[in-house]
Amino acid sequence: MAASELYTQYARVWLPNALEVWKPAELTKDYSPGDRVLFLQLEDGTDVEYKIDPQTKRLPPLRNPDILVGENDLTALSYLHEPAVLHNLKVRFVESKMIYTYCGIVLVAINPYESLPIYDHDIIHAYSGQNMGDMDPHIFAVAEEAYKQMARDERNQSVIVSGESGAGKTVSAKYAMRYFATVSGSSCETNVEEKVLASNPIMEAIGNAKTTRNDNSSRFGKYIEIGFDKNYRIIGANMRTYLLEKSRVVFQAAEERNYHIFYQLCASSHLPEFKALKLGSADDFLCTGQGGIPVIEGVDDTKEMRSTRKAFSLLGISETQQMGVFQILAALLHLGNVEVKEGTMDSSAILNNHLMVFCELMGVAYEDMSHWLCHRKLKTTTETYVKPLPKAHAVNARDALAKHIYAKVFSWIVDRINESLRSAIKQRSFIGVLDIYGFETFDINSFEQFCINYANEKLQQQFNMHVFKLEQEEYMKEDIPWTLIDFYDNQPCINLIEAKMGVLDLLDEECKMPKGSDDTWAQKLYNTFLKKSEIFDKPRMSNKAFIIHHFADKVEYQCEGFLEKNKDTVNEEQINVLKLSKFDLLVELFRDEETAAPTGRTKTTRPGQAQRDNKKTVGTQFRNSLNLLMETLNGTTPHYVRCIKPNDHKSPFTLDPIRAVQQLRACGVLETIRISAAGFPSRWTYQEFFSRYRVLMKQKDILSDMKLTCKNVLEKWVKDHDKYQFGKNKIFFRAGQVAYLEKLRSDRLRKACVRIQKTIRCWLARKRFLRMRRAAVTIQKHARGYLARCRVAFLRRTRAAVVIQKNQRMLAARRRYQDLRCAAVIMQRLLRAYQARQTYCKLLYEHKVLIVQRWVRGWLARRRYQRSLRAVVYLQSCVRRMAARRELKKLKVEARSVEHFKKLNVGMENKIMQLQRKVDEQIKENRELGERLSSTERSWAAESERLGREVERLRGAEEESRVAAEKLPSLLEQLSFLRQELETTRGEKEAVQEEARAYREENEKVVSELNEKNSLLMTEKENLTQLIQEQNTEAHAEDRRWLDRDLSEERRRYQSLLSEYAQLEGRYADLKEEMTLTVETGKPGHTREDSSYSSNGSEGTFSSGLSGSQGRNSSAESHSSTRRSSDMSVLLKLQRRVTELEQEKQTLQRHLDKREEVQEDHARTAAELKTAGRAELDLVALKRQELESENKRLKTDLAELRQSLATVSKSASAKTPSSPGPGSAPYNVLLEQLDSANEELEIRKEEVLLLRSHLVRQEALKHNKTPVHNTSFYNVIKRYLGWKAISTPDYHTLNEDGELWLAYEGLKETNRVLVSQLQMQDRDHEEGLEELRVEVCRLREENSQQQQLISQSLLLPPEGRVDAGLQHEITRLTNCNLDLMEQQGKQDKMIRKLKKQLKTYMNRMEEYEGQVERVVPDPEPGTPGRITRKERDFKGMLEYRRGDESKLLKGLVLELKPRGVAVNLLPGLPAYILFMCLRHADYCNDDQRVSTLLNSTINSIKGLIKKKGSDFETVSFWLANTCRLLHCLKQYSGEEPFVKQNTPRQNKHCLTNFDLSEYRQLLNDLAVQVYQQLVKSMEETLLPMIVPGMLEHETIQGVLGSKPTGLRKRTSSLPGEAVYTVDSIIQQLSLFHATLTQHDVDHDLIKQVVRQLFYITCSVTLNNLLLRKEMCSWSKGLQIRYNVWQLEEWLDEHGLSGCGAKEMLEPLIQAAQLLQVKKKTEEDAQAICTMCSALTTPQIVKVLNLYTPVIEFEERVPTSFIKTIQVLLKDRVESPQLLMDAKKIFSVTFSFTPSSLALETIQIPSSLNLGFLTRV
């Protein structure tokens, strides 16, 4: 297309800039062909003019659209040029904080100078198994691609990591090796990785140094081959090094250092072990002080020395060897300090004593070394000369010796590292990691830089060839015509260096010349290449330098030192002196030179000439090693990692454009871009092109053939057919075409937006006009209404005025009439009132006269009465005063006691109960005082009556006193005195009454106050009690939550441990099988047939597995010579297990020894008692015969009794009602007799069993050489019965019949019985005494406690005594309560036990009754008998023979197919059958059969799950049956919590003899393992669907738009692959749910499974979202929300909304919301922080950094907004983990679900082939 179409107004371009390299600008005017100037405007608003070169007419490069900026792959850019690459890297690195970017097949890694959380194990697992284009760029993606291609193509791989010093090459290589070690899945890979990583501190110490650009610069290259076995697991490694910079040992430039190891030695010189090295500060040595900076800031050399020594030890280098290495390095420091003084006649001499220290440390002779440092031996054909050296040559010889020794030490250490990393297992393939220096150019470039740039030329050539190969393969695969692309070929540069008569050959030739020098070599270079080679040039101002034009840049090399460094010559005599050293390590270093010398020489060869001729120069050696490296790389599939150093200041996430462009040019990234741009860099699938550029098509352009549709659209819009090519599956575009299509798409979208805006604005204007029109009509309507209302109001006011006038006139007339009428009425009223008042006054006067008369007469009468009354009262008061005074004293005493009581009670408010009691006492006392007061008043009344009588008597005396006139004055005086006394007494009485009233009021007040305080305290107590209860409730709730959380966590840990145990168990079984196969293959001619199934296999019996493993170990040891090719990793993994087995073997051996000793003791005892035992056996045999006869008699009686009962019951109908029958007295008596007979029978049976066991034991003692199990019990009894034939001792034959002997044995037996009885009584007596002693001790303790309590209570106040007594009583009652509860628990256990026994007896009684009922009496002669068949009552049990467990489990577990037969069966039928068999074993009281059946069942299910763990049908089927068997064990256990919902019939089926709680736990563990395997199988099925269905598939068509992805295409776009959608996930979930429901899995367990699946879906989706930049967009958030809504709808449809699955999707929902919300202001940031509660801070920041606009209308998230989010979330306490743990499995709980199915109704289908089972 023409430039005028692209360079239009507002087009964005790049302008060159000196500071920023490239600067963005925008055209302000269209460009026309022929214009000489472009008018541009910079981003800061500055207008500039860009002049166009008239010859080249080159325009500035165009900028890419914003939606293409920040892509993962640089080849996805439409415009591929230097500024686009630089800008894309800057956006990703600075703004998005992403350090990795693809550039075609190259991974560009920028050093962030900051620790990033992107290398954890969860990131490794996230990249494991993913294709390279599926995830964001990462070093793990490159490593995964290499690992996958190695396993898939069976071809060796190599990862080439290059870059300049400080770019992060070593770190990238280390992470790549860590990835290989993690994903390989071997147990020994971690050890290899640790050793490889342990080599890093060593290689950094001896090969890294500080330079002006990097504090830890690698001064050598290395290539590490990581070896893999046939299972692609790491088994070893090998390291090769290239071009060590030896010159740094003796020379360092300013601000640089020597190798780190020298400074570490100087820093550790104070250690005791280093005292002998005679070291000091680094400034004291010339080799470490030339740079002037001996210390690196932030680096502790002493600490680094410890790390180096630790790494040496880890790699197997002994302490002696380490000290030897340090001794040699210290000697080199002293050698560098050796000073040489100039002598006469071109001679020299040693000046200081450092050479003596050097010789002492190296173990050589000082005289020899000092001599050959200053002299040189020259050999001719006939003579040998010793020539002295001048000072300069002596110094060079010293430096050459130091460099040579250091190189030897370096090589020796590398060899030791390789020996440690080498493996004896055969290597299948390898992945090589090349960590090599990048292109270097300095101010002064010497021989080292020449070799480094030569190596980079070779690597760049290999890289170019590989790029062209991949391009050619891609074009050929798509049938694109292949055209030759012009590119920079660096073969001429390589030929210039390494071809015949090249730079290296001329250098070697000059080194062979006797008087060769750097100047003569430079002249040869000028004569050979100047003006003959375009890439060779000569500096203008120098004759000792040359310039080579490398692929990256031209470099000027200084010739000085080239010959010396290339020859690397060392005085042979100095080497010979070192070889004669007494230092073993030094001799070992130079031993290889002797072995490398040629073995065959001709006779004409001069001495030493062959060695000099055979020695290769450094250049030749480097060329050969480089060619070997290139051969290795060419034999592998390379993967490239280019490390970039962003700046020289080590600032985090800061990019220096100048430095970045230099490195991009040097590492070949820009050359890759140029090559890609020359072809078809942009590649789209037809579907992607159609989805993206659908807007450029009309409806008629869309055809059924998508390829033809895309072809028509391109031909319509792009006229130049050379700009694109159509392949089979993709469309190939040249550079710039995608940008042009994006411009067309933007224009079309912009036109559509304009049309939409026009239509919307028209609609808004019309809507506004209609609104205004409606408003005008409304205003007119309201105005006219207002005028009408005003007219009506005027008319109403006029009529109202007329009505008011009328009413006003009427009111005035009425008011005048009423005034006249009121005046007449008032006059009449006044007249009548005057007359009434006159009459009233007259009547009032008469009434008042009568009243005055009445009052006068009454006053006279009262006066007489009062005079008499006062005399009487005075007499009474005198008497009452005396009594009142006495009473007053009593009241005062009582008042004082009350006050004292009040003082005592001050401060007792808190004791409410005591205070209430005292208040009650006070009220009682008050009541008593009131009673006493009332009694006092009554006494006063009686006294008043008595005084009245006395007054009467005195009146009589007064009459008498009239006679005696002389007594009158005295009586009058006495009377006056009595009156005074009476008044005083009355006053005192009133005072006492007042005091009593005050006291009563005070008491009432105190009581009221106390009542108020009591009520307040009671209220406060209730409040506190309520508060305490609330706090306790909250605390209990919180504790319960914590306990639930802890319980779930512990359950999860237990189940995870259980899962690990199951994996280890399975792994152990696999290893056992592998070992067995290995042993079998090692034995020729031996084959082993498949054994039948047995429940006592290796899984069920540990001892057999132990012996088997021991046997295999021993056999493996015996045949170790024939199994050299066996897998050594298996043996290494079994090492720990073998150790454990050995320990267990030793333990079992000790137990066996003890048991053998016990058996030997028993044997000796048996031999001693052999004679006595025979007699006892005779007696026992006789007793047994007697018991058997008695047993037969009892059986006969029982049969007769049953027959008679049956006869009676049959004839009961023909007889009278009084005949005996069920329920009658005779019948009950017979039943009692039957019970007693049965009990006696049971007792006899037990005695028989005891006797039999005794017989067997005696027989074993007698025949100890013959095992008991080889002779049947019948033969033993037979031998006992025929024992008389055996010879007996002499005393047996005292009489013929042996009666005396029998009597003697009977007495002995009687004595033994009596002794045993006495011993038993003694034991009972002692036990009784002990119990009495314990009781006495207990009573004494209680007595002492009571006494102590009484003594303590006496010291307390009364209230405290009451509290102490109550506390003691509460304690005593609590203890009694606990004892009673314990006794009750024991009684409950006893009751349960008795109930079980009762059930057993009832079942036996029912059996006996059933047998009696089934007995048919003999028919009478002549009467025909009729036989009736009764329906059999089954008991829900299945009987099987001992040993049939294998057949049962084979048919029920191993061969049962869930998809076939099991679909039509009763859900849980295998579990019911197994439980019914278990019930029969329990009914028979056979513990061995119970344990065998359960162990075999568990092992069978384990084996089946291990074999078919990936089959979802099988695993789900046995999960349901395992849970059902567990529920049956609980339901029929007889325990109270599990039998509540049972029917009476089900309760009868409970287990009676065994407690299987331990097996319930084993079944629970088995169910957990099956559940975890179910989750894994479902995860394997669902995992490939999650990412395509939840993220990649476009469910809502038209919302998303594809973006170009470059060479790293998404794998889902490839043809022929399955396309998964969210509907696929929902269908799979529905299939899972239907299968689980069909197998009758518990509904609660289904909820837990769905919750786990939704967690996996959320974690996998979110992790991929966080690692894929192209998925973080607004439209993708909408798509995720829609997909999540569909999953929630599925939950609602299946009734699983409350299972917690929705909560599992919350992080994914919040991530989708985060992609859609507004992200600009601080309010938006706060809303995001509130909304994203389920996301961690790293996840939120990662999503915001990854947010990528898909269309040009979207905007990127500003960096300031992300920083605001980080500030707001800094206080949040959460995990710093970026990714969710997708491998997490929640703990599972199995809630008890009883079954209502009756066991007796279960039928066994014939298809199960279980005919050997019998229903009981």
Side-chain angles (χ1 to χ4, degrees), residues 1779-1798:
L1779 301 184
M1780 294 180 66
D1781 185 8
K1783 301 295 182 181
K1784 177 182 178 182
I1785 298 180
F1786 293 102
S1787 61
V1788 60
T1789 57
F1790 303 100
S1791 57
F1792 174 61
T1793 306
S1795 174
S1796 59
L1797 183 65

Side-chain angles (χ1 to χ4, degrees), residues 268-324:
S268 304
S269 61
H270 62 280
L271 297 177
E273 56 266 27
F274 292 150
K275 293 293 184 182
L277 303 182
K278 299 180 181 180
L279 297 174
S281 174
D283 296 328
D284 299 336
F285 298 97
L286 180 64
C287 294
T288 56
Q290 298 180 37
I293 304 178
V295 178
I296 302 176
E297 184 179 357
V299 177
D300 186 359
D301 289 322
T302 305
K303 184 178 179 181
E304 295 296 327
M305 186 62 179
R306 289 196 295 268
S307 300
T308 304
R309 298 180 68 180
K310 182 179 179 181
F312 272 127
S313 301
L314 183 60
L315 288 172
I317 301 176
S318 63
E319 290 289 337
T320 304
Q321 293 176 332
Q322 294 179 34
M323 292 307 300

Side-chain angles (χ1 to χ4, degrees), residues 987-1211:
E988 292 177 355
K989 178 182 178 182
E990 292 176 355
V992 170
Q993 290 177 352
E994 186 65 29
E995 289 179 359
R997 189 182 303 108
Y999 176 71
R1000 188 182 296 108
E1001 292 175 356
E1002 186 176 359
N1003 281 341
E1004 292 176 355
K1005 183 178 180 181
V1006 170
V1007 171
S1008 62
E1009 291 177 356
L1010 291 176
N1011 289 330
E1012 291 177 359
K1013 291 181 180 179
N1014 188 13
S1015 60
L1016 291 174
L1017 290 173
M1018 291 296 292
T1019 305
E1020 186 176 359
K1021 178 184 176 184
E1022 293 176 356
N1023 295 333
L1024 289 174
T1025 304
Q1026 185 177 1
L1027 180 61
I1028 290 171
Q1029 291 178 354
E1030 293 176 356
Q1031 291 178 352
N1032 289 336
T1033 304
E1034 295 177 357
H1036 287 321
E1038 185 68 22
D1039 292 342
R1040 183 179 181 81
R1041 287 194 296 270
W1042 279 103
L1043 289 175
D1044 291 341
R1045 190 179 298 110
D1046 293 342
L1047 179 60
S1048 61
E1049 184 66 21
E1050 289 298 329
R1051 186 183 292 114
R1052 187 184 66 79
R1053 291 177 182 173
Y1054 172 73
Q1055 293 179 3
S1056 63
L1057 290 175
L1058 195 63
S1059 175
E1060 293 177 0
Y1061 172 74
Q1063 294 175 1
L1064 292 174
E1065 189 179 17
R1067 181 62 177 163
Y1068 176 64
D1070 295 339
L1071 292 176
K1072 285 201 300 183
E1073 293 177 1
E1074 189 173 355
M1075 289 291 293
T1076 305
L1077 293 175
T1078 304
V1079 174
E1080 290 176 358
T1081 55
K1083 297 179 180 180
H1086 175 70
T1087 58
R1088 180 178 179 179
E1089 298 180 355
D1090 294 336
S1091 59
S1092 59
Y1093 181 83
S1094 175
S1095 61
N1096 296 325
S1098 60
E1099 293 182 355
T1101 306
F1102 175 74
S1103 61
S1104 62
L1106 179 62
S1107 62
S1109 62
Q1110 292 171 354
R1112 285 190 293 273
N1113 290 336
S1114 62
S1115 63
E1117 291 175 0
S1118 63
H1119 296 278
S1120 59
S1121 60
T1122 62
R1123 294 186 289 109
R1124 297 296 184 183
S1125 61
S1126 63
D1127 195 351
M1128 292 301 294
S1129 63
V1130 176
L1131 297 177
L1132 293 175
K1133 291 180 179 180
L1134 284 173
Q1135 183 176 5
R1136 182 177 299 175
R1137 182 59 182 166
V1138 168
T1139 305
E1140 295 177 357
L1141 292 176
E1142 288 177 355
Q1143 295 176 357
E1144 294 176 357
K1145 178 183 177 182
Q1146 294 175 0
T1147 304
L1148 293 175
Q1149 187 65 35
R1150 288 195 296 269
H1151 290 312
L1152 183 61
D1153 295 339
K1154 292 181 180 178
R1155 185 169 295 177
E1156 289 177 355
E1157 293 176 359
V1158 173
Q1159 290 179 357
E1160 291 177 358
D1161 295 339
H1162 289 171
R1164 287 194 298 269
T1165 306
E1168 295 174 356
L1169 299 177
K1170 184 177 181 181
T1171 306
R1174 294 174 181 176
E1176 293 179 358
L1177 289 176
D1178 276 342
L1179 181 61
V1180 170
L1182 292 175
K1183 288 186 177 182
R1184 180 186 171 280
Q1185 292 176 0
E1186 181 182 356
L1187 289 174
E1188 286 182 352
S1189 61
E1190 184 70 18
N1191 189 13
K1192 291 180 181 179
R1193 184 181 61 79
L1194 290 174
K1195 286 183 179 180
T1196 305
D1197 295 340
L1198 178 61
E1200 293 176 357
L1201 183 61
R1202 287 176 177 173
Q1203 185 176 3
S1204 62
L1205 287 174
T1207 305
V1208 170
S1209 61
K1210 289 296 181 180
S1211 59

Side-chain angles (χ1 to χ4, degrees), residues 1283-1301:
W1283 189 62
K1284 292 183 179 180
I1286 300 174
S1287 59
T1288 57
D1290 295 337
Y1291 62 85
H1292 289 176
T1293 58
L1294 292 177
N1295 57 351
E1296 296 179 356
D1297 300 331
E1299 294 178 357
L1300 182 59
W1301 175 74

Side-chain angles (χ1 to χ4, degrees), residues 1358-1378:
E1359 296 81 3
R1361 296 176 188 173
V1362 175
D1363 293 339
L1366 290 175
Q1367 187 68 27
H1368 176 70
E1369 189 66 20
I1370 291 172
T1371 306
R1372 186 183 64 78
L1373 292 175
T1374 304
N1375 294 331
C1376 294
N1377 191 13
L1378 292 174

Side-chain angles (χ1 to χ4, degrees), residues 575-732:
I575 301 300
N576 293 332
V577 172
L578 294 177
K579 290 180 180 179
L580 298 175
S581 172
K582 300 177 182 179
F583 191 9
D584 296 337
L585 180 59
L586 185 62
V587 175
E588 183 181 353
L589 293 180
F590 292 95
R591 189 176 300 160
D592 57 347
E593 292 187 357
E594 298 177 0
T595 58
T599 57
R601 293 192 296 269
T602 60
K603 295 181 180 180
T604 59
T605 304
R606 291 180 297 174
Q609 182 67 29
Q611 185 174 355
R612 288 195 300 270
D613 294 341
N614 187 64
K615 182 178 180 181
K616 297 179 181 179
T617 61
V618 175
T620 303
Q621 294 177 8
F622 182 72
R623 178 172 54 188
N624 295 338
S625 62
L626 187 59
N627 291 332
L628 179 61
L629 174 64
M630 298 311 299
E631 291 179 4
T632 303
L633 294 179
N634 291 330
T636 64
T637 301
H639 305 269
Y640 300 95
V641 179
R642 301 300 192 223
C643 298
I644 304 297
K645 184 178 180 180
N647 58 80
D648 294 329
H649 307 291
K650 302 178 184 178
S651 301
F653 291 104
T654 303
L655 186 67
D656 185 358
I658 298 176
R659 294 284 292 117
V661 167
Q662 289 176 353
Q663 296 173 74
L664 290 173
R665 293 170 181 169
C667 67
V669 173
L670 296 181
E671 184 66 20
T672 306
I673 293 298
R674 198 182 68 80
I675 293 173
S676 299
F680 297 93
S682 301
R683 298 155 194 188
W684 292 66
T685 63
Y686 291 101
Q687 179 62 42
E688 291 173 346
F689 181 85
F690 180 82
S691 300
R692 181 68 179 175
Y693 299 110
R694 171 70 178 80
V695 295
L696 299 179
M697 308 175 191
K698 296 181 180 179
Q699 187 64 35
K700 62 180 181 180
D701 297 333
I702 301 176
L703 304 177
S704 59
D705 189 356
M706 189 178 299
K707 183 175 181 179
L708 184 59
T709 302
C710 298
K711 184 175 181 181
N712 294 336
V713 171
L714 280 175
E715 291 177 351
K716 176 181 178 181
W717 291 101
V718 183
K719 303 301 182 182
D720 189 358
H721 297 288
D722 185 57
K723 299 297 182 181
Y724 58 87
Q725 290 289 339
F726 294 98
K728 292 182 178 180
N729 303 305
K730 301 177 184 178
I731 306 175
F732 290 71

